[in-house]
């Protein structure tokens, strides 16, 4: 007898282990196979309609296009080279919509060895199709588009009778989404691909078991936040008797040294939920559990449940699932603001908005790099506006790295134009409801659509509920579900997942069932200066839980710009090609951003100067957003930077770009999120110490220095401090900044009792400050009436920084230590370090710097480390390139 188990591991989403067990007389196989490779696709226009012909083993597919699943049709065509460089220039715009208006065929073959239908059960588990599909196996139809539809439905297809021992041919005819189909979308974050994401965008798995199977295992952990030394577990799973005979089986469960067992009798074709509770099994009362903690507060500990199902000693099925022990709680504070606790500890949600690749391609290595970026930026959360991911991989990574997830529906469905309803009305069909006002319930649902969305929610919750990283399920984004639909959502959670709370909406809404959402979604989404986050008390400032906000565009370094913009359009920046790679609708230009950059830092003369000044402004814009929320807790409970990443190469809403190049915003976020931090308030001109750890600090020293643009110290303070955990204290108020057009530098260092620097921060401040025009208001930003004057930075004395490097080669990862020294009596401002393949070679990406865009005080030295995969470097040692605002000349190490 042979069996296969599934487990989640780094970095792969599912590891299939095939083992052979001898001595089995029944010939039952237990196996799960991911049907990933050996697919081909073709438009239904180009092949005969006869399914029997297409399903023949000998049918030639030489003119079909090779693909792997998961994929969209366009993603497969791009990977196969049918469309070249779709993200470069306006190439995406040149791809016709016409080929994707018809269905496409997906075809694969798989082997089933020694199959006996009377003893075994064979099923296809279909995790995600967009949008409708017909399935045939060996020429026999096993599912039709009238029932197999819905992008977030999951399906189980019984193929026991249609399958055969040996080679099997699977044909899937995928139909594209149409007007009013509820599928995934990117809204104004990116252009919509011409195929509208048509394809098999999640896995199809072949599941082989005995006549009784295990499905949907779930571990429900619970604990008293006041006593973290004890926890309880409740284990459940679904058993299904696929045969026409009664069955008596034994279910066993193992969690490390915990052993569970139950005998279960099943009637013919009966499905039953089997539970193991602490009341029945005292071993499910865990003493001194290893708890799952979010990033920055502790280790995200994980356990594994193994389940086996046997009949008279013969293995029929087995499942393996990981889980974490943690308690998520939510509350409304005295201001009506939503907040969250994990294991009894109030959590400031420091988050970014995640989005998948524009073609929904499965990119496990890129996913792993991005989640590592999230962790290294000191973020503790991501918001999934949509149920993202091709499989469990991205959720596994968040489990392993302590990244909390807000998961829920996208505003794609809440705005009629994104469902194509405006086009529908122009066609004259007035029988379909349009909307009830996007300001509340959004698109008006038919009864069938309400059932579809509740089925979506049920399937996704059951699929993902074991992941400890998910801390809430969101029912809406820019709107809220109507009462009937919300009731369905709540019933789903009561039945399938009582371990985490439901969030009505990411926006500010009130429900008769669950009360206030306690959230706000007031932007901004466009550039605003640092003082905004401290001064604003009505809109997006640092109070409450801001579920999506940010200072707008984040222009990447020059090398990335050249990868997406043709040479003829590289300069000047304010042109249609750059706008095409911006957002959509109100965000289709960089005008506000470039106006601010030109006024604050001086108009750049070329692309290289623009890119460097952009990183300065990116850093200066994003760092105070996070910092303001950090020092204003508990009045502030959460902030979601809109967004974390980009689905394609663009200039908007990203902390690192599509190619994984970190921007200045990346390092500004990393600095702002330090668990221990010294922070400057741009509005009150005060300096604060934040201790966002779970331990108090004692006898630490805070050192403050304010230097003028000639690098002369004009103010300093040295303070001995002790601070309790999860507290913020006010340390000092700065002296007024004098002069006309003067620039100042504020250096902050925190040292522990052994005089080691444990946190540092650095600001550039202008005597002429930014001022907002509060008499004007746009829904996505507040305009400025005065810009901070940093043009004096162009006139800083040139500094000959000294640099050296040391390379340490590991088996998988290399580390380079770069030591920088400023031998002069002038500040070396904003040094950019880049790891590269060769003197003039491309940047090494992804890359993990301990710090970057650093400034050095007179006589100061800093050692920075950078880590990267050895396979991304090549045969020779990597080079380090250094440039900066007032560096005497670029350095290459």
């Amino acid at each position: 007898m042979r069996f296969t188990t599934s487990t989640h591991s780094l970095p792969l989403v599912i590891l299939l282990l095939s083992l052979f067990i001898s001595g089995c007389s029944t010939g039952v196989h237990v196996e799960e196979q991911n049907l990933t490779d050996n697919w081909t696709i073709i438009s239904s226009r180009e092949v005969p309609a006869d399914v029997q012909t297409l399903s023949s083993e000998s049918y030639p597919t030489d003119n079909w296009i090779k693909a792997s699943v998961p994929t969209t049709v366009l993603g497969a065509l791009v990977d196969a080279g049918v469309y070249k460089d779709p993200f470069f220039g306006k190439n995406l715009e040149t791809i016709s919509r016409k080929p994707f208006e018809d269905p496409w065929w997906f075809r694969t073959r798989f082997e089933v060895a020694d199959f006996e239908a009377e003893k075994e059960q064979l099923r296809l588990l279909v995790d995600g199709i967009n949008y409708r599909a017909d399935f045939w196996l060996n020429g026999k139809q096993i599912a039709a588009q009238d029932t197999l539809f819905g992008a977030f439905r999951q399906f189980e297809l019984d193929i026991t009778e249609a399958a055969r021992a040996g080679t099997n041919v699977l044909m899937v005819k995928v139909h594209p989404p149409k007007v009013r189909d509820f599928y995934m979308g990117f809204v104004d974050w990116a252009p919509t691909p011409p195929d509208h994401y048509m394809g098999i965008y999640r896995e199809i798995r072949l599941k082989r078991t005995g006549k009784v199977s295990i499905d949907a295992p779930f571990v429900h952990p619970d604990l008293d936040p006041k006593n973290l030394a004890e926890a309880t577990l409740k284990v459940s799973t679904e058993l299904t008797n696929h045969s026409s005979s009664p069955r008596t089986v034994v279910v066993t469960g193992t969690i490390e040294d915990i052993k569970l067992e139950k005998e279960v009798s099943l009637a013919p074709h009966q499905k039953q939920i089997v539970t193991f509770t602490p009341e029945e099994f005292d071993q499910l009362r865990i003493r001194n559990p290893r708890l799952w903690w979010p990033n920055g507060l502790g280790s995200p500990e994980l356990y594994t449940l193994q389940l086996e199902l046997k009949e008279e000693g013969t293995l029929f099925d087995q499942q393996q699932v990981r889980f974490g022990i943690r308690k998520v709680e939510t509350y409304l504070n005295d201001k009506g603001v939503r907040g969250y606790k994990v294991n009894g500890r109030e959590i400031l949600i420091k988050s970014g908005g995640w989005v998948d690749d524009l073609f929904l391609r499965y990119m496990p290595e890129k996913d792993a790099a991005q989640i590592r970026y999230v962790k290294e930026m000191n973020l503790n959360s991501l918001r999934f506006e949509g149920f993202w991911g091709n499989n469990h991989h991205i959720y596994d990574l968040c489990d392993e790295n302590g990244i909390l997830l807000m998961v829920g529906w996208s505003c794609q469905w809440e705005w009629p134009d994104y469902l194509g309803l405006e086009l529908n009305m122009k066609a004259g069909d007035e029988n379909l409801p349009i909307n009830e006002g996007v300001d509340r319930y959004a698109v008006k649902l038919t009864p069938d659509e309400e059932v579809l969305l509740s089925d979506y929610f049920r399937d996704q919750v059951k699929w993902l509920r074991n992941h400890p990283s998910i801390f809430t399920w969101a029912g809406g984004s820019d709107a809220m579900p109507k009462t009937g639909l919300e009731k369905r959502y709540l019933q789903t959670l009561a039945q399938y997942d009582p371990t985490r709370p439901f969030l009505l909406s990411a926006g500010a809404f009130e429900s008769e069932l669950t009360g206030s959402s306690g959230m706000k979604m007031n932007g901004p989404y466009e550039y605003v200066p640092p003082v905004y986050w401290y001064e604003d008390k009505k809109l997006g400032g640092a109070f409450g839980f801001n579920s999506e906000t940010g200072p707008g565009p984040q222009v990447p370094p020059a090398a990335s710009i050249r990868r997406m913009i043709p040479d003829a359009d590289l300069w000047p920046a304010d042109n249609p090609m750059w706008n095409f790679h911006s957002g959509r609708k109100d965000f289709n230009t960089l005008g506000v951003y470039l106006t601010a950059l030109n006024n604050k830092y001086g108009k750049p003369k070329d692309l290289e100067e623009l890119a460097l000044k952009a990183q300065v402004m990116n850093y200066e814009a994003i760092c105070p957003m996070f910092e303001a929320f950090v020092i204003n807790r508990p009045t502030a409970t959460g902030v979601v930077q809109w967004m974390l990443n980009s689905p394609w190469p663009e200039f908007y809403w990203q902390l690192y770009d599509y190619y994984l190049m970190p921007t200045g915003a990346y390092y500004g976020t990393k600095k702002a999120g330090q668990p221990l931090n010294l922070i400057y308030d741009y509005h009150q001109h005060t300096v604060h110490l934040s201790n966002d750890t779970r331990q108090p600090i004692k006898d630490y020293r805070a050192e403050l220095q304010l230097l003028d643009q000639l690098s002369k110290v004009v103010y300093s303070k040295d303070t001995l401090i002790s601070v309790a955990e999860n507290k913020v204290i006010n340390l000092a108020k700065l002296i007024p900044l004098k002069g006309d057009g003067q620039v100042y530098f504020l250096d902050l260092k925190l040292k522990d009792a052994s005089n080691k620097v444990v946190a540092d921060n650095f600001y550039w401040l202008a005597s002429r400050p930014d001022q907002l025009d509060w008499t004007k208001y746009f829904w996505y930003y507040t305009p400025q009436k005065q810009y901070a004057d940093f043009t004096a930075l162009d006139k800083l004395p040139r500094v000959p920084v000294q640099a050296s490097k040391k390379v340490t080669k590991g088996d998988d990862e290399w580390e380079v230590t770069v030591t920088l020294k400023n031998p002069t009596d002038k500040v070396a401002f904003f040094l950019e370090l880049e790891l590269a393949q060769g003197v003039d070679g491309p940047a090494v990406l992804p890359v993990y710097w301990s710090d970057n865009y650093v400034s050095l005080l007179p006589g100061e030295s800093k050692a920075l480390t950078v880590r990267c995969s050895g396979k991304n470097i090549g045969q020779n040692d990597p080079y380090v390139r250094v440039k900066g605002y007032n560096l005497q000349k670029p350095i290459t190490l």
Side-chain angles (χ1 to χ4, degrees), residues 434-480:
I434 295 300
N435 68 296
E436 300 184 75
V438 177
D439 58 337
R440 187 165 177 82
Y441 295 122
V443 173
K444 185 176 181 179
L445 301 175
T446 66
D448 287 345
E449 289 169 344
E450 187 171 299
V451 171
L452 176 66
L453 296 192
S454 65
D455 286 348
Y456 276 6
F457 191 68
R458 177 203 61 214
D459 288 359
Q460 299 305 297
V461 166
K462 287 184 67 176
W463 188 54
L464 297 171
R465 59 186 174 171
N466 284 296
H467 292 283
S469 52
I470 298 173
F471 73 94
T472 191
W473 306 107
S477 177
D478 297 14
M480 62 177 279

Side-chain angles (χ1 to χ4, degrees), residues 151-221:
F152 292 99
R153 282 297 320 275
Q154 296 192 332
F155 300 93
E156 174 186 307
L157 307 180
D158 185 350
I159 61 171
T160 306
E161 298 302 321
R164 61 194 178 205
T167 301
N168 291 260
V169 179
L170 177 64
M171 301 289 304
V172 185
K173 190 176 188 179
V174 179
H175 301 259
K178 297 180 179 179
V179 169
R180 207 178 173 84
D181 282 342
F182 292 80
Y183 69 101
M184 71 292 295
F186 292 81
V187 201
D188 51 11
W189 317 334
T192 300
D195 69 342
H196 285 254
Y197 318 103
M198 170 175 52
I200 304 174
Y201 80 98
R202 282 182 174 158
E203 294 174 340
I204 294 180
R205 291 168 288 133
L206 178 66
K207 175 76 172 176
R208 187 175 181 181
T209 67
K211 285 298 182 181
V212 182
S213 65
I214 299 173
D215 294 289
F218 178 46
V219 181
H220 175 170

Side-chain angles (χ1 to χ4, degrees), residues 485-505:
L485 182 57
E486 184 188 4
K487 187 177 294 184
R488 290 176 180 270
Y489 289 162
L490 293 172
Q491 290 170 346
T492 291
L493 293 184
Q495 181 176 357
Y496 295 108
D497 183 20
T499 69
R500 48 179 70 82
F502 176 71
L503 177 63
L504 174 69
S505 174

Side-chain angles (χ1 to χ4, degrees), residues 73 139 153 226 267 292 354 383 457 506 596 598 626 628 677 692 701 737 798 807 877:
V73 171
R153 282 297 320 275
K226 297 179 181 179
W292 188 94
W354 172 275
R383 179 184 167 199
F457 191 68
N598 292 340
F626 281 107
N677 209 355
D692 193 15
R701 187 172 297 278
L737 305 182
R798 299 294 168 181
V807 178
D877 284 359

Side-chain angles (χ1 to χ4, degrees), residues 479-593:
M480 62 177 279
K482 205 169 182 180
T483 302
L485 182 57
E486 184 188 4
K487 187 177 294 184
R488 290 176 180 270
Y489 289 162
L490 293 172
Q491 290 170 346
T492 291
L493 293 184
Q495 181 176 357
Y496 295 108
D497 183 20
T499 69
R500 48 179 70 82
F502 176 71
L503 177 63
L504 174 69
S505 174
F509 293 96
E510 187 88 20
S511 161
E512 63 183 47
L513 296 177
T514 54
S516 171
S517 68
M519 310 292 281
K520 71 174 185 177
M521 192 188 290
N522 298 330
Y525 301 88
E526 183 57 273
Y527 177 79
V528 290
V531 70
Y532 173 92
W533 308 102
Y534 294 95
E535 185 176 1
D536 173 65
K537 304 299 180 186
K538 295 182 180 180
L539 301 171
F543 61 93
F545 195 130
N546 198 340
S547 62
E548 52 180 66
T549 190
Q554 304 291 348
V555 172
S560 291
I561 298 174
R562 288 190 167 91
R563 293 181 71 172
M564 60 177 166
I565 303 295
D567 289 346
D569 300 295
L570 283 173
W571 196 255
D574 52 345
N575 67 61
M577 188 65 71
W578 283 56
N579 293 341
F580 181 71
H581 285 266
S582 297
R584 302 280 152 307
K585 294 189 174 181
D586 291 306
F587 311 106
N588 64 354
T589 173
L590 293 173
V592 174
Y593 177 90

